[in-house]
Amino acid sequence: MTSRRCNLIILGAPGAGKGTQAQVVSKQLGVPHVDCGRVVRSEVAEKTEFGAKAEGYMVQGKLVPDDLMIGIVLKRLNRPDYKDGFLLDGFPRTLDQAVKLDEFLDDSASRLDYVISLGISEETAVRRLSSRRVCPVDGRVYNLLTAPPGNEDTCDVCQNKLVQRPDDMPGTIIERLKVYHEETAPLIEYYKSGDGFLDIDGGGETDVVSESIMSAIRERGRCGI
Ligand code: AP5
Ligand code: MG
């Protein structure tokens, strides 16, 4: 567990395994996981004003505009739940978002301890996303090829019928990958000279990738482990 504030972000293409690995790292470091895609999906489901504006972008595989997204994420990070740090999954995704996150951290006399960058091939991304299924009730993520539910198409925990995310349809996956290369991949350049930058091969099996991340974190020795 951490003994002081610890801030991390996890970067990578759609399907790189950000959510999967963020859960492991967040548990091991005792730092809360902020899944920004999930934040957007809950706002859409709850039909909030933000959700109504964001939905069209999300279902087309485009990014929600910066002015909307920056506001909602930074407001959330001000909550007491994140006073000891956070693991941000899916933010920043543009240079503007990265600059605003830096300003936010400066204002709170804090910094980013680690930037976990997960690399995968486009072919792996498409295969993983096409076979992903999610529980619409508790948000658990499965994969028909690599992490199937115990019972065909129902959630192991709440037994609800699993669904495919609307943005996991073939045409939308291609659009999301294009958007990633244009708008988010440049962040690797932005962060890579920092000493907390961890360049991880995300293409291996889940446990292997988790171990690469955790051993890189142990090696640098920040965040109390
Ligand atoms: P978001 O939900 O964040 O989508 P994404 O970035 O496209 O990433 P994914 O969640 O699809 O992939 P992942 O890397 O988390 O992979 P996962 O672990 O699930 O965002 C959705 C939308 O919200 C965006 O398109 C945008 O519209 C909006 N949005 C969110 N943040 C925004 C921002 N900052 N600015 C603007 N707009 C924003 O794994 C994928 C599958 O592979 C799973 O089935 C999993 O079980 C499996 N798997 C994972 N790892 C492995 C492994 N090592 N081996 C085998 N299978 C694996
Ligand atoms: Mg995710």
Side-chain angles (χ1 to χ4, degrees):
M1 294 287 276
T2 53
S3 51
R4 61 162 195 81
R5 185 173 172 131
C6 179
N7 304 315
L8 306 91
I9 61 175
I10 187 159
L11 289 177
K18 301 182 294 296
T20 304
Q21 297 302 332
Q23 285 195 350
V24 176
V25 175
S26 134
K27 206 166 167 191
Q28 300 234 4
L29 296 179
V31 170
H33 170 201
V34 189
D35 178 342
C36 295
R38 193 166 181 182
V39 169
V40 175
R41 285 185 288 279
S42 331
E43 296 274 333
V44 169
E46 287 163 23
K47 302 190 188 314
T48 64
E49 196 184 335
F50 171 93
K53 290 179 183 155
E55 184 172 15
Y57 296 100
M58 192 179 68
V59 295
Q60 288 178 59
K62 300 193 184 309
L63 293 184
V64 175
D66 281 343
D67 54 339
L68 290 174
M69 204 63 210
I70 290 168
I72 201 154
V73 173
L74 297 186
K75 192 168 147 211
R76 188 166 285 247
L77 294 184
N78 268 320
R79 289 183 185 170
D81 321 22
Y82 305 112
K83 71 177 179 12
D84 294 328
F86 50 77
L87 196 178
L88 264 180
D89 158 10
F91 188 96
R93 275 188 216 236
T94 64
L95 280 171
D96 274 359
Q97 293 181 11
V99 169
K100 290 290 187 246
L101 178 62
D102 281 347
E103 289 171 9
F104 171 86
L105 290 167
D106 281 349
D107 290 348
S108 45
S110 195
R111 62 167 183 169
L112 271 184
D113 294 283
Y114 292 110
V115 174
I116 304 167
S117 173
L118 290 180
I120 50 160
S121 69
E122 197 139 318
E123 194 192 340
T124 304
V126 172
R127 191 176 58 246
R128 285 187 188 169
L129 294 176
S130 323
S131 49
R132 175 166 61 187
R133 296 293 181 274
V134 294
C135 174
V137 178
D138 64 23
R140 268 167 220 281
V141 176
Y142 298 86
N143 193 287
L144 299 181
L145 303 175
T146 58
N151 188 5
E152 235 176 88
D153 60 352
T154 57
C155 177
D156 290 347
V157 179
C158 68
Q159 268 72 55
N160 274 283
K161 192 168 169 19
L162 301 180
V163 297
Q164 197 164 10
R165 271 173 44 177
D167 56 350
D168 278 348
M169 299 304 162
T172 320
I173 292 175
I174 299 302
E175 176 64 19
R176 284 160 65 203
L177 288 166
K178 181 170 159 266
V179 168
Y180 169 77
H181 287 297
E182 288 171 0
E183 307 206 41
T184 309
L187 291 182
I188 295 172
E189 206 54 44
Y190 182 82
Y191 285 118
K192 83 175 185 200
S193 58
D195 59 0
F197 184 81
L198 310 179
D199 185 11
I200 306 289
D201 176 1
E205 288 184 14
T206 301
D207 292 352
V208 173
V209 179
S210 305
E211 188 41 42
S212 306
I213 298 172
M214 290 313 300
S215 64
I217 289 178
R218 272 184 232 110
E219 230 170 69
R220 313 272 169 122
R222 295 180 187 168
C223 296
I225 67 161

